[in-house]
């Protein structure tokens, strides 16, 4: 058992909870941040669903990304930080600044606290949204040298992830002292949900299984959340990961209709409502006029979003599960947790 402490921010998050599971399994002590200590019992319950009773090897601290208070204490005594807390779509964001400011300032708040506490390395949970949006169509897969082109058509959430990651790299270069930084940029994260508060990526699968009328012509790579957590662990401890960013993808990109076909073929009666029909682009554009969530999809219609995770495979020995395993693990968890609509 290691006595090294790792701070995982945003402990109620889908990726963060799987990172906590991986760290506890590897023998680390974990401290995690939540906005309210009232959610500690929920997090511990979710970890038990994931197979780990954390007991006293996990502790909680209440802090907020938008305020300085408590971050010094949160980082104190930690050897590493895995920083995944970030503003996510809540419906309350009216202006672009509502997304960007908390994301950028939250990253800087965590990095300052980590530097001042003598943390060795921060692993930042960034996103494919900081790499692959706003571009003209590419004939090659996206890689870690790519940055999203903010002069293009970029949704506020993806813009916030891009600016927040750039701010993190700039901070470490200018003011980091000895602090090291690595970034993990996941594509669409699937795999097992641990409770009813799951990611938008899992909602993609839930919507299909609940009978949405078809699939927009949208393309994405997928990756299992357990492999994203494993990549965070490798990026945290490998000397080769210092100063590097890593795309997390389980293979070639897929169209949503292909994901729907995997569900139909493998999930039996649970997938009886899944439609593999491709919805025409004009139909999506029409709906998007009055639907802000659908409007964010429009720039991606028909665009190949393939990305390569060869760097993580070669440099860190990362070996993710297949795309199909990631898709089916998400679906099976929704069934097992009773989170689908009744037939």
């Amino acid at each position: 058992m290691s006595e090294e402490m790792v701070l995982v921010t945003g402990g109620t998050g889908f990726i963060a909870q799987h990172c906590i599971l991986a760290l506890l399994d590897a023998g680390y002590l974990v401290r995690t941040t939540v906005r309210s200590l009232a959610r500690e019992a929920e997090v511990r319950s979710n970890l038990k669903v994931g197979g780990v009773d954390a007991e006293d090897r996990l502790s909680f601290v209440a802090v907020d990304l938008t305020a300085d208070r408590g971050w010094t204490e949160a980082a104190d005594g930690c050897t590493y930080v895995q920083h995944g807390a970030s503003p996510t779509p809540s419906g309350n964001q009216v202006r672009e600044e509502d997304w960007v400011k908390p994301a950028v300032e939250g990253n800087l708040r965590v990095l300052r606290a980590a530097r001042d506490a003598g943390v060795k390395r921060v692993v930042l949970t960034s996103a494919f949204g900081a790499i692959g949006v706003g571009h003209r169509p590419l004939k090659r897969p996206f890689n870690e040298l790519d940055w999203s082109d903010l002069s293009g058509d970029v949704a506020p959430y993806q813009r916030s992830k891009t600016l927040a990651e750039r701010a993190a790299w700039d901070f470490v270069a200018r003011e980091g002292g000895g602090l090291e930084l690595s970034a993990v940029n996941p594509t669409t994260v699937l795999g097992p949900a641990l409770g009813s508060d799951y990611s938008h990526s899992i909602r993609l699968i839930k919507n299909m299984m609940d009978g949405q009328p078809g699939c927009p012509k949208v393309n994405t790579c997928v990756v299992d959340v357990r492999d994203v957590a494993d990549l965070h662990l490798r990026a945290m401890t490998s000397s080769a990961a210092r100063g590097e960013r890593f795309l997390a993808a389980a293979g070639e990109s897929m169209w949503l209709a292909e994901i729907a076909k995997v569900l139909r073929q493998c999930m039996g009666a649970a997938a009886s409502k899944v439609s593999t029909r491709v919805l025409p682009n004009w139909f999506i554009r029409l709906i998007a006029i009055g639907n802000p969530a659908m409007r964010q999809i429009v720039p991606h219609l028909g665009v190949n979003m393939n990305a390569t995770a060869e760097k993580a495979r070669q440099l860190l020995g990362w070996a993710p599960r297949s795309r199909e395993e990631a898709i089916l693990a998400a679906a099976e968890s929704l069934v097992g947790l009773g989170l689908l609509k009744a037939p």
Side-chain angles (χ1 to χ4, degrees):
M1 287 274 187
S2 169
E3 290 309 306
E4 289 183 315
M5 176 80 76
V6 183
L7 177 67
V8 178
T9 67
T12 57
F14 176 52
I15 294 174
Q17 288 179 11
H18 279 276
C19 285
I20 293 169
L21 286 170
L23 288 163
L24 291 170
D25 195 50
Y28 290 93
L29 298 171
V30 179
R31 180 183 297 148
T32 192
T33 70
V34 287
R35 277 181 289 182
S36 167
L37 291 176
R39 296 192 70 180
E40 176 176 345
E42 172 199 331
V43 174
R44 288 188 181 275
S45 173
N46 288 358
L47 297 177
K48 284 181 183 175
V49 171
V52 172
D53 190 344
E55 297 180 331
D56 61 354
R57 297 191 66 79
L58 173 65
S59 57
F60 289 76
V61 58
V63 288
D64 194 303
L65 277 178
T66 61
D68 289 335
R69 185 178 176 183
W71 283 104
T72 299
E73 293 78 8
D76 184 49
C78 293
T79 307
Y80 303 104
V81 173
Q82 293 189 3
H83 175 41
S86 178
T88 52
S90 67
N92 298 323
Q93 289 88 346
V94 177
R95 302 163 302 161
E96 194 161 283
E97 187 182 331
D98 297 335
W99 291 91
V100 172
K101 191 176 179 186
V104 171
E105 291 183 357
N107 275 8
L108 296 180
R109 206 162 257 123
V110 171
L111 288 166
R112 280 193 204 99
R115 176 198 64 193
D116 295 347
V119 165
K120 180 179 180 182
R121 183 178 298 174
V122 173
V123 180
L124 174 67
T125 311
S126 187
F128 176 73
I131 287 177
V133 294
H135 300 275
R136 292 180 178 178
L138 293 185
K139 293 183 178 176
R140 59 163 177 82
F142 287 102
N143 62 52
E144 290 85 356
L145 297 175
D146 294 311
W147 283 90
S148 290
D149 182 355
L150 299 185
S151 67
D153 194 350
V154 179
Y157 175 64
Q158 294 157 338
R159 186 176 294 272
S160 77
K161 294 302 277 189
T162 306
L163 291 172
E165 189 190 336
R166 282 201 178 277
W169 288 114
D170 288 346
F171 173 86
V172 167
R174 293 176 186 173
E175 306 174 49
L179 182 65
E180 298 174 3
L181 180 66
S182 300
V184 174
N185 297 71
T187 53
T188 296
V189 184
L190 300 177
L194 300 174
S196 58
D197 186 5
Y198 44 79
S199 68
H200 346 302
S201 301
I202 298 284
R203 191 170 298 281
L204 205 90
I205 304 298
K206 175 173 162 54
N207 289 346
M208 287 181 182
M209 297 184 76
D210 281 342
Q212 73 178 24
C215 302
K217 195 176 181 187
V218 170
N219 185 267
T220 183
C221 288
V222 302
V223 63
D224 192 294
V225 66
R226 293 165 292 185
D227 296 318
V228 175
D230 175 60
L231 185 51
H232 277 73
L233 190 55
R234 291 168 187 267
M236 185 180 91
T237 54
S238 169
S239 58
R242 178 184 177 181
E244 301 288 347
R245 56 201 310 238
F246 297 94
L247 267 162
E252 297 278 319
S253 61
M254 305 173 77
W255 297 97
L256 295 189
E258 294 179 288
I259 294 174
K261 283 174 186 168
V262 171
L263 295 171
R264 290 286 300 192
Q265 288 164 4
C266 302
M267 287 299 296
S272 61
K273 298 183 198 170
V274 174
S275 171
T276 59
R277 177 184 170 218
V278 179
L279 298 170
N281 292 349
W282 66 261
F283 178 69
I284 300 298
R285 289 192 174 98
L286 188 65
I287 294 175
I289 293 169
N291 185 324
M294 204 60 83
R295 208 173 300 145
Q296 296 197 25
I297 292 174
V298 170
H300 306 303
L301 292 172
V303 180
N304 190 323
M305 302 293 271
N306 197 21
T308 175
E310 198 55 31
K311 180 177 175 180
R313 291 173 182 270
Q314 295 291 339
L315 209 58
L316 303 181
W318 185 62
R321 294 163 177 81
S322 71
R323 303 173 304 176
E324 291 76 16
E325 282 181 85
I327 293 163
L328 295 174
E332 287 161 2
S333 70
L334 290 170
V335 172
L337 293 166
L339 295 174
L340 299 175
K341 283 183 182 174

